[in-house]
Amino acid sequence: MLMAHPAVLDNLVEEYATLVALHAEEGGPEVRARMDELARTLCTATGTADIDTALVAARHRLPGARPEDDSLLAA
């Protein structure tokens, strides 16, 4: 399986987390479409089938991640 570069994963996770924090899923169709696109990209990049699993998998591939830590990495 191809692996996304950690910098790419970091950007995807950060953008998705920002949109979730802003409750963008309640926004217009363009914003919801972007969230769907980010979710699909993260799932593809991590080889997972749902966004929650993709976020955990992506975070574990980021520099400084610990195997037991599935929380967001400190900025």
Side-chain angles (χ1 to χ4, degrees):
M1 175 170 84
L2 292 175
M3 298 293 218
H5 190 279
V8 172
L9 284 177
D10 187 40
N11 289 339
L12 293 169
V13 169
E14 186 176 327
E15 184 176 355
Y16 189 85
T18 299
L19 291 174
V20 168
L22 295 173
H23 304 285
E25 66 276 3
E26 298 169 10
E30 291 178 3
V31 176
R32 287 194 308 271
R34 180 61 183 153
M35 287 188 75
D36 290 343
E37 180 183 352
L38 287 166
R40 281 191 305 275
T41 303
L42 280 163
C43 287
T44 301
T46 58
T48 59
D50 66 84
I51 187 60
D52 294 325
T53 306
L55 289 169
V56 170
R59 289 177 185 133
H60 281 280
R61 293 185 188 158
L62 295 177
R66 296 182 306 264
E68 68 279 355
D69 184 8
D70 65 355
S71 63
L72 282 172
L73 297 176

